[in-house]
Structures are given as C-alpha cells and as structure tokens.
Amino acid sequence: MEFINNVLEKNYEEFMLKNKDQTHFLQSLEWMKVSEYKGLKTHLVGVKENNKLIATALLLQKKLPLGYSYFQIPRGFTMDYNNLELLNFFTKEINNYTKKFKSIYIKIDPDLKLHNIDHENKVLEGTNNYELVKYMESLGYKHLGYNKFFE
C-alpha cells in the first residue's frame, strides 16, 4: 500500500463515483470548495494498491495561532471499513501527514451504523459494527457516544 498526499481531483471524483455506497456528500469536491470558501485549507489524500486507489479522504485544515492546526475528516474515509489492514495503514499515514502541519488533533465522524433498531429502539439482526468500533478505539480513536440519527 502507498499513501498519496495529493490525489488529483479527477481521480478523487472517479473513485467517489465508483464507491457510492462508501461515500458521503461531505467528502465531495463540492463540499471541498464550500470549505475553501469558508477559509479552510483542504487536502485530498488516499491510498493506492497496485497503482489503483482503494481509499480516499477529504481533510479540512483549520489553522490556529502559533502555527498549529487541527483537521476534520467529515463523515470519515471513503473506503471499506471492514478492511482492517487498510484502516490501520490509512490512520497511521494520515496521522503522520497531519503532524507536518503541527496538528493538535484530527476529528473524524464516519458514517457507520452500529446496528439496526426498530421503532422501540430494540436491536435487530443484521448490521453489527461493535468489533469495528473496538478496533478503531485500539487505533487511538476516541468514541464520543452514540446518536440515533444525525443529532
């Protein structure tokens, strides 16, 4: 695997279109332009394997006093979160990349469903991402709680 710190917009957009089930509007080039208008510095990063993109992310950098920054990755990475090796690699490489900008933290809010619930909030069979949440915590992510919808 190879970390790419300057994914071309054309390649980024192609990857997003091919992976619609793994992406979100807040990772789009349109949102990137809105963020730039709001004064944020944007970074398109990704991971290639066998010369093919297998993961991307839009990083939004907010510059702080004294040369520090923090980063946000709205709605998380565009990738298969079940590929734990990729998740581990991408996490470490993004951490290394953002350190160059004196990042004090990275905020990520991946669009992951923990499980399905019915109208009475009872857990239904099917989606179960408990182990994924535990794995992400082992990589250094801090889980800040659950929500039912988008609150």
Side-chain angles (χ1 to χ4, degrees), residues 2-107:
E2 174 189 8
F3 180 74
I4 308 297
N5 65 9
N6 58 351
V7 176
L8 298 175
E9 287 185 20
K10 175 185 164 213
N11 296 342
Y12 185 89
E13 186 73 16
E14 286 174 7
F15 182 77
M16 299 288 281
L17 290 171
K18 288 179 186 173
N19 295 280
K20 288 182 181 180
D21 59 326
Q22 299 171 350
T23 191
H24 192 277
F25 172 74
L26 295 178
Q27 278 286 315
S28 69
L29 293 178
E30 289 80 5
W31 189 252
M32 179 181 83
K33 290 177 183 11
V34 168
S35 299
E36 289 171 347
Y37 178 78
K38 291 173 24 177
L40 300 173
K41 181 160 176 40
T42 59
H43 306 257
L44 295 176
V45 299
V47 176
K48 277 189 176 181
E49 189 170 65
N50 299 323
N51 209 28
K52 179 182 172 188
L53 272 176
I54 59 171
T56 60
L58 168 62
L59 279 63
L60 306 178
Q61 178 186 2
K62 173 69 175 170
K63 294 185 179 183
L64 300 170
L66 304 175
Y68 291 96
S69 296
Y70 73 82
F71 285 79
Q72 180 181 7
I73 305 171
R75 304 316 280 165
F77 313 131
T78 301
M79 61 169 277
D80 177 7
Y81 280 86
N82 294 311
N83 183 337
L84 301 183
E85 179 184 1
L86 174 59
L87 180 58
N88 184 14
F89 178 81
F90 206 16
T91 297
K92 287 180 181 177
E93 292 299 322
I94 286 175
N95 280 327
N96 291 337
Y97 176 73
T98 59
K99 283 179 186 175
K100 297 174 188 175
F101 302 95
K102 294 175 72 175
S103 175
I104 57 172
Y105 69 88
I106 303 168
K107 180 181 179 183

